[in-house]
Amino acid sequence: MKLKEIISLDFSVYNEKINNKLKLFIKFLYYVFIKPEFKVIFWMRLASYYKNMGIAFKPIYVISFLFHLHYKNKYGIELPIGLKVGAPFKIAHIPGIIINSNAIIGNNVIIMQNVTIGSTRGKGVPTLGNNILICAGAKIVGGVKIGNNVVIGANAVVVNDVPDNSVVVGVPARIINSNSHKILKYYM
């Protein structure tokens, strides 16, 4: 997928459908320079795309890297450059989001505030599927695999694999429902 398509998908999850191109462009500029949740994603995507390009693109990479560094420190969102993340990707609330640079995140993922996706002492990193809602304070640690269409409840600690279409809560997280579609339809 091209960078423009990826950013367009990321932008689309924050907005209702706007048919007027001028209003859409103004709203896009507002999100790039004002909206904290989108700013971090936008500058991460730009820096990731231009990181390994030729010398002619180094100025764009350096500028996007500096913007990304500034915003990730300002808003407390550790979203590493080069992160393997699908589109659209949405951060619903800031701050306190930490994602391991080796984690793999699928398409259509929404992350709330204070979420950690990381490894535990070198025991692998999480792999997340598509259509996932990760609620506030959730922790996903170790080499776990999260299936498609999953809801991870607030403050859940996921240390085991989660199958498709599940709702998990608790410490450690356990499956309470196998019909996540009822919840996901309100967020996706």
Side-chain angles (χ1 to χ4, degrees), residues 80-155:
I81 291 173
L83 179 67
K84 294 179 186 96
V85 60
F89 178 65
K90 181 178 181 180
I91 294 174
H93 302 286
I94 59 170
I97 296 170
I98 299 172
I99 301 175
N100 185 297
S101 61
N102 296 319
I104 299 170
I105 301 174
N107 297 320
N108 208 18
V109 174
I110 299 175
I111 296 179
M112 304 287 188
Q113 69 271 22
N114 297 319
V115 168
T116 300
I117 300 172
S119 64
T120 54
R121 298 187 186 132
K123 294 183 180 178
V125 293
T127 302
L128 282 66
N130 301 322
N131 304 318
I132 297 176
L133 172 63
I134 306 172
C135 295
K139 310 295 180 243
I140 305 170
V141 291
V144 298
K145 294 191 184 336
I146 309 297
N148 298 321
N149 307 311
V150 171
V151 176
I152 299 172
N155 296 317

Side-chain angles (χ1 to χ4, degrees), residues 32-107:
V32 167
F33 292 106
I34 306 296
K35 191 78 170 157
E37 297 89 348
F38 184 74
K39 280 194 278 192
V40 177
I41 294 170
F42 174 80
W43 293 109
M44 181 273 300
R45 296 266 196 210
L46 214 59
S48 297
Y49 183 79
Y50 287 109
K51 182 177 182 179
N52 297 321
M53 299 291 260
I55 191 76
F57 294 101
K58 284 298 177 195
I60 297 171
Y61 167 69
V62 170
I63 290 167
S64 57
F65 173 80
L66 291 174
F67 270 104
H68 173 69
L69 184 66
H70 170 72
Y71 290 133
K72 89 173 189 177
N73 290 329
K74 181 177 181 178
Y75 299 120
I77 300 173
E78 183 62 39
L79 200 61
I81 291 173
L83 179 67
K84 294 179 186 96
V85 60
F89 178 65
K90 181 178 181 180
I91 294 174
H93 302 286
I94 59 170
I97 296 170
I98 299 172
I99 301 175
N100 185 297
S101 61
N102 296 319
I104 299 170
I105 301 174
N107 297 320

Side-chain angles (χ1 to χ4, degrees), residues 146-182:
I146 309 297
N148 298 321
N149 307 311
V150 171
V151 176
I152 299 172
N155 296 317
V157 178
V158 180
V159 293
N160 297 312
D161 292 353
V162 178
D164 292 350
N165 306 312
S166 299
V167 178
V168 296
V169 297
V171 181
R174 64 190 185 289
I175 299 169
I176 61 162
N177 193 334
S178 293
N179 190 2
S180 62
H181 298 291
K182 290 180 181 178

